[in-house]
Amino acid sequence: MRSWIEKSQRFLEIPLGVGSRALVLAALVLLLPCYLFPLYDMTMFAPQYPDGLRLHIYSYRLEGGNRGQDVKEINVLNHYIGMKDLSAADFTEFHWIPFVVGALALLLLRSAALGTMTSLVDIVVLYAYFSLFSLWSFAHKLYVYGHNLAPTAAVKVPPFTPPLVGSKQLANFEVYSFPGPASYALAAVALVLAGSVLLAWRESRIQVRDSRAAA
Amino acid sequence: MKRRQRLVYASYAALVVILAFVAARCAPSAPKSARQRAGATSDAAVAAQKVYVAPGDLDEYYMFASGGHSGNVYVYGVPSMRHIVTIPVFTPYPATGYGFDDDTKAMLGNLTWGDVHHPSLSETNGDYDGRWLFVNEINGRIARIDLRDFKTKEILGPLPNVSGNHASSFVTPNTEYTFMATRFSIPIPKGTVAPIDKYATEYKGVIAGIKIDPKTGHMTPAYEILMPPFDYDLGDAGKKVSDGWMFFTMYNSERATGKLEVTASQRDRDYIAAIDWRAAEKAAAEGKGEMIGGIKVIDPKKVPGLVYFMPCGKSPHGVDVSPDGKWIIGSGKLQGVTTAFNFEKIQTAIRNKDFTGDEDGIPVLKYESVKEAEVPVGLGPLHTQFGPDGYAYTSLFVDSAIAKWKLGTWEVVDKVPMSYSIGHLSAAEGDTAHPQGKYLVGLNKLSHGRHLSVGPSQPESSQLVDISEEKMKLLADAFTEPEPHYAQIVKADKLHPIEVYPKEENKHPLAIWDVKDAGVTRQGNKVIVKAVEVRSTITPTSVEVNEGDIVTFALTNIEQTTDELHGFGLLDYNINVVVDPGETKTVTLKADKHGVFPYYCTNFCSALHQEMQGYFIVKPKS
């Protein structure tokens, strides 16, 4: 137990070298797509919609394909089964995701400047929490939309959950759901941060070995 | 050590590759089912062979397609899907002068449009006999087109009490009757006002039986049946074993008002009404019923045995009787199954009084006692047609497809996609006692992307499907005039149209056959111009009248040659008539503008067609 605490203490005292700090800055750059590209893309094909109805979910807004018309079309179709209209007001994520990503960016800058393992570990923990919570939140949203159907709907369908990743047949629609470029960039952020930690750790190991060899 | 380093970098590279691979799985550009749709299309060479009708060759079938709110009926050739001719019915059609001459103008009355939905070819023993085509129209009217000359001969209505005649015209197997029914219930007679919150009790629907003269085709209103305020939607006559019965679907058995798309979609089952039309005929003959709006209306509460309701889920649209008359197929548009009712079981349930309740005194049969099967055809089933081999074909609006299934085993055996959102479908003689099979046409509501773009007002698409084999195959797309609802396809050799009106049959009192007889006669301010049209003169070549005169032009085309039509266009008086060979038409106008007005032949007829002209001179009041 004691040795474990000492070990982790030593780990947390590892300084971040130039390479690790560069990776932290790279992670910072990889947060940018979050403001530029969709986090999620949903595409719904039906015989009547051979080109598909497209829904692009950004970190801060909902965008329909066909110059926004697709969101309206999806809402028109969903009203038959008594589904609530998709509206930006329902997505609290649009407020807090940009905020959290901004905060993460500042923390990354801080970590790059301080060059301490503790600051980096803080970010990794926060980042993991943020990613998992966002995923759960999104999945929950899908569940709620598909299960909160008006009992007076003209067409009664059994409650459903649209696919989180992959495709699913819902009535006459083939629904495809895939992470968008921003999500992939966020996944890359996680990899780069892990790389940064790994690099710092390896450098410290080499240093220890070299100093031992010198001794 | 070096090796471990390499291992780390290698695993990193692998991760990046995996990430890139996953990233490639972004929003797809086409659905997986696209391939399956392509598979349902016939091989191009095979399809081309099947639909190609060489120049000069004739199609095998006529298709009579309703033109919806265009007010017309369109005639196509099958399998070429070529549009051959337009038959104007409920709306003026300058191309044939329809609605301009005195007779057709009077026939149209004050209405210049109609919403044509369901053509119904006259039948003998449940098969098309090629005599007449009846078509309904929403303003309470039915028209009869004579297939001897493809002309609208009679328009009956608007009928009293009928409000929104959608469930029409559906003839009985020997063309004894055609029917009208209310889609939008109102307080009757027309003119009565009741607040909308009294809808459930004070608004009424009616179903009207109209007797057809077996010799002339002339239609006479026979009786109306008082019905609860539901929305009567479609119908079909029983045949063979079920002859003597009519079946009508209805939605809004909720008796709801307001936002009907929700309020009228609450019950899991609405009804199909089974009407014993022979019993209704008998009740009418016995003088039963009371006069409402000038017609005898029979209340089924007071005359039991006329009407029964069969529960059918949900908001049923089409009801179609199988060729042998045994199965009544009802399709609930808001569910994924089509229901087959057994006519024998219906009769047994009626005999045993197997009722679960009543609607305004009309017994409701127990669903489980009359239902034979629920066929899982797919989403949004609307209409069913039949083949010669015991197969049924049901259109699926939501799935945008046609399902082929077997009567008796109730098995769905094949599906073919439609582009897009199919409404009615029409198989060759597919609603008769002897369906022909071979071809089926899907009458689709949407066509986007299937044709050269023509702007926002897009045509409807009709798709020809080969049903001669086990697997249905799409053969061709055609773009039909708005808006095909139902259509009927009849073997061409059942029709025997004339090509000119024989001179000896023309009994028009103002007909003349010699240019010497042409001229003007006057009685007071009434002027009659007897005119002859023949290549290449309209005789008289000038007509003089006084301002204020009522002038009737009686135009006889004395040609007896095929295709020698002559027109009569009168400038500034909005007159445009076309007279077929051997035909006489009159057109009456008030000469309320003085001046000189040219008239001419509008329908190109000959080398000297341009010279076929004259002057209408209206002398001013002094």
Side-chain angles (χ1 to χ4, degrees):
Chain A
M1 181 70 187
R2 203 154 152 210
S3 79
W4 188 81
I5 292 177
E6 271 171 20
K7 252 188 189 167
S8 65
Q9 195 62 40
R10 269 207 301 281
F11 174 76
L12 287 174
E13 279 162 10
I14 293 172
L16 303 181
V18 178
S20 288
R21 292 187 195 216
L23 283 175
V24 169
L25 288 175
L28 173 67
V29 172
L30 281 168
L31 286 178
L32 267 180
C34 223
Y35 296 100
L36 301 174
F37 301 107
L39 280 167
Y40 247 84
D41 292 309
M42 289 184 87
T43 315
M44 284 147 261
F45 293 100
Q48 300 88 333
Y49 299 96
D51 300 332
L53 295 172
R54 290 168 194 277
L55 206 59
H56 307 295
I57 303 166
Y58 287 72
S59 62
Y60 57 98
R61 73 191 170 105
L62 198 63
E63 190 194 84
N66 191 15
R67 287 173 295 140
Q69 184 54 38
D70 285 357
V71 175
K72 291 176 194 157
E73 190 71 17
I74 288 166
N75 283 337
V76 166
L77 294 169
N78 283 341
H79 103 279
Y80 289 114
I81 58 168
M83 196 200 270
K84 198 169 176 300
D85 275 1
L86 297 173
S87 84
D90 283 349
F91 288 81
T92 51
E93 290 87 343
F94 294 162
H95 297 294
W96 60 258
I97 289 184
F99 175 80
V100 171
V101 170
L104 280 169
L106 287 176
L107 288 175
L108 284 171
L109 263 183
R110 176 172 171 269
S111 179
L114 294 180
T116 58
M117 183 59 85
T118 31
S119 64
L120 193 52
V121 167
D122 284 349
I123 295 173
V124 168
V125 171
L126 272 175
Y127 191 78
Y129 173 71
F130 161 71
S131 313
L132 293 174
F133 183 82
S134 303
L135 265 178
W136 170 83
S137 170
F138 179 61
H140 180 67
K141 201 123 282 172
L142 290 178
Y143 175 89
V144 169
Y145 269 112
H147 283 73
N148 195 8
L149 304 174
T152 52
V155 180
K156 301 265 191 303
V157 297
F160 61 94
T161 310
L164 190 59
V165 178
S167 71
K168 201 171 186 176
Q169 185 81 31
L170 295 171
N172 55 327
F173 277 89
E174 279 176 53
V175 182
Y176 294 81
S177 202
F178 287 106
S183 289
Y184 290 114
L186 288 180
V189 167
L191 286 179
V192 169
L193 287 182
S196 174
V197 172
L198 207 67
L199 191 63
W201 177 71
R202 277 191 56 73
E203 277 173 0
S204 77
R205 289 287 297 270
I206 291 166
Q207 226 163 28
V208 168
R209 212 159 288 157
D210 287 355
S211 58
R212 263 189 210 149
Chain B
M1 195 176 355
K2 266 238 163 99
R3 187 178 295 166
R4 277 191 65 178
Q5 208 168 346
R6 231 180 281 147
L7 202 72
V8 171
Y9 287 128
S11 57
Y12 245 89
L15 267 174
V16 170
V17 168
I18 290 168
L19 197 68
F21 188 74
V22 175
R25 290 249 48 191
C26 276
S29 59
K32 283 181 243 166
S33 60
R35 201 176 302 160
Q36 173 201 333
R37 292 180 73 81
T41 302
S42 184
D43 174 66
V46 175
Q49 284 271 326
K50 292 206 176 196
V51 301
Y52 184 63
V53 177
D57 284 357
L58 305 181
D59 278 294
E60 196 180 346
Y61 292 91
Y62 287 98
M63 179 170 86
F64 293 91
S66 66
H69 46 285
S70 76
N72 298 326
V73 166
Y74 301 101
V75 184
Y76 296 86
V78 173
S80 74
M81 297 303 283
R82 295 182 294 201
H83 172 237
I84 302 173
V85 81
T86 297
I87 306 175
V89 186
F90 294 106
T91 193
Y93 187 64
T96 60
Y98 186 80
F100 288 84
D101 67 283
D102 294 341
D103 287 349
T104 55
K105 211 172 159 180
M107 202 157 64
L108 287 178
N110 296 322
L111 294 162
T112 52
W113 73 287
D115 194 354
V116 179
H117 272 250
H118 310 114
S120 194
L121 287 157
S122 57
E123 294 179 10
T124 301
N125 297 323
D127 288 316
Y128 301 151
D129 58 23
R131 291 190 295 165
W132 308 298
L133 179 75
F134 297 87
V135 284
N136 71 306
E137 186 278 305
I138 203 83
N139 295 288
R141 295 184 290 174
I142 293 182
R144 178 173 51 88
I145 295 161
D146 195 331
L147 295 178
R148 185 169 177 261
D149 58 359
F150 283 57
K151 295 277 167 66
T152 304
K153 286 295 156 70
E154 185 183 3
I155 294 178
L156 173 76
L159 216 61
N161 308 326
V162 175
S163 170
N165 180 38
H166 184 276
S168 184
S169 52
F170 325 121
V171 298
T172 52
N174 284 297
T175 323
E176 298 96 334
Y177 281 89
T178 176
F179 293 86
M180 291 197 205
T182 286
R183 178 166 148 208
F184 317 119
S185 291
I186 53 166
I188 58 167
K190 279 186 183 172
T192 312
V193 173
I196 196 77
D197 55 11
K198 293 274 191 300
Y199 181 85
T201 51
E202 291 187 25
Y203 285 52
K204 297 288 171 200
V206 297
I207 290 174
I210 293 141
K211 183 93 186 115
I212 299 169
D213 185 287
K215 288 239 156 43
T216 64
H218 177 66
M219 298 177 282
T220 316
Y223 56 83
E224 287 182 0
I225 301 173
L226 192 69
M227 300 292 287
F230 305 152
D231 295 48
Y232 299 88
D233 207 11
L234 274 145
D236 196 14
K239 48 172 105 62
K240 295 190 175 167
V241 290
S242 52
D243 189 11
W245 290 77
M246 268 304 293
F247 301 93
F248 287 97
T249 54
M250 66 212 56
Y251 55 96
N252 196 14
S253 63
E254 292 86 350
R255 307 189 191 214
T257 57
K259 200 173 154 67
L260 285 193
E261 65 168 344
V262 173
T263 56
S265 305
Q266 295 306 310
R267 290 175 68 166
D268 283 336
R269 291 203 187 107
D270 295 272
Y271 300 117
I272 292 173
I275 297 178
D276 184 342
W277 62 261
R278 286 201 213 281
E281 183 178 49
K282 191 163 156 267
E286 288 165 359
K288 290 193 173 131
E290 57 174 312
M291 294 295 279
I292 301 176
I295 190 165
K296 271 276 169 70
V297 180
I298 306 169
D299 185 348
K301 207 187 318 183
K302 294 172 188 159
V303 187
L306 284 194
V307 189
Y308 301 91
F309 282 135
M310 321 193 288
C312 182
K314 170 184 179 181
S315 298
H317 192 56
V319 56
D320 300 280
V321 180
S322 66
D324 55 14
K326 282 185 193 165
W327 313 110
I328 320 300
I329 312 299
S331 291
K333 63 178 180 261
L334 299 183
Q335 59 175 15
V337 297
T338 273
T339 310
F341 297 92
N342 183 332
F343 182 73
E344 231 171 89
K345 288 185 180 176
I346 296 168
Q347 294 306 299
T348 310
I350 290 172
R351 266 197 310 276
N352 298 341
K353 297 203 167 13
D354 198 356
F355 307 144
T356 55
D358 74 292
E359 294 275 4
D360 295 357
I362 298 170
V364 177
L365 299 170
K366 191 175 168 202
Y367 177 68
E368 290 72 20
S369 304
V370 293
K371 170 210 85 167
E372 182 71 28
E374 287 178 352
V375 189
V377 286
L379 297 176
L382 295 184
H383 306 279
T384 300
Q385 293 272 291
F386 303 94
D389 41 13
Y391 284 105
Y393 302 85
T394 300
S395 60
L396 307 170
F397 181 82
V398 177
D399 272 349
S400 188
I402 294 170
K404 175 181 178 179
W405 52 278
K406 186 101 184 161
L407 291 163
T409 67
W410 319 114
E411 239 179 311
V412 178
V413 296
D414 191 24
K415 271 191 195 183
V416 65
M418 286 280 105
S419 303
Y420 304 95
S421 298
I422 180 174
H424 278 273
L425 74 176
S426 178
E429 309 203 353
D431 62 359
T432 67
H434 296 94
Q436 301 242 332
K438 213 162 175 177
Y439 300 114
L440 182 151
V441 174
L443 302 150
N444 306 321
K445 300 302 180 193
L446 306 178
S447 63
H448 60 93
R450 306 281 298 194
H451 49 77
L452 292 176
S453 182
V454 289
S457 196
Q458 306 225 337
E460 267 61 51
S461 88
S462 294
Q463 293 183 297
L464 183 69
V465 178
D466 182 359
I467 55 165
S468 59
E469 288 163 35
E470 198 185 318
K471 283 261 168 209
M472 296 181 283
K473 289 274 187 182
L474 181 60
L475 292 176
D477 280 11
F479 301 97
T480 36
E481 286 282 304
E483 176 187 84
H485 291 276
Y486 191 34
Q488 285 182 323
I489 298 174
V490 55
K491 196 85 195 293
D493 59 18
K494 288 198 175 167
L495 270 59
H496 308 284
I498 54 169
E499 301 217 326
V500 298
Y501 291 103
K503 180 184 172 185
E504 53 281 7
E505 281 183 20
N506 185 329
K507 304 279 188 254
H508 200 287
L510 297 176
I512 50 168
W513 296 91
D514 195 320
V515 290
K516 287 202 295 286
D517 300 327
V520 177
T521 53
R522 170 185 289 277
Q523 263 191 326
N525 70 338
K526 289 201 167 57
V527 177
I528 290 174
V529 183
K530 287 188 193 170
V532 162
E533 296 201 280
V534 69
R535 278 164 289 177
S536 301
T537 306
I538 302 171
T539 314
T541 54
S542 70
V543 172
E544 254 186 49
V545 301
N546 301 318
E547 189 179 349
D549 283 347
I550 307 291
V551 184
T552 298
F553 286 92
L555 308 152
T556 303
N557 176 349
I558 64 168
E559 307 268 7
Q560 290 284 282
T561 308
T562 305
D563 219 354
E564 280 303 335
L565 316 181
H566 293 296
F568 180 79
L570 176 57
L571 273 58
D572 298 337
Y573 268 93
N574 194 36
I575 298 292
N576 161 55
V577 179
V578 177
V579 194
D580 295 347
E583 190 180 34
T584 301
K585 276 184 179 170
T586 63
V587 57
T588 302
L589 60 91
K590 183 161 196 254
D592 50 9
K593 275 182 292 210
H594 59 80
V596 176
F597 306 97
Y599 52 80
Y600 74 109
C601 174
T602 50
N603 209 104
F604 199 99
C605 57
S606 66
L608 293 167
H609 164 76
Q610 292 299 86
E611 284 73 6
M612 195 164 168
Q613 62 184 56
Y615 288 102
F616 179 50
I617 299 163
V618 183
K619 293 182 285 186
K621 280 179 188 155
S622 48

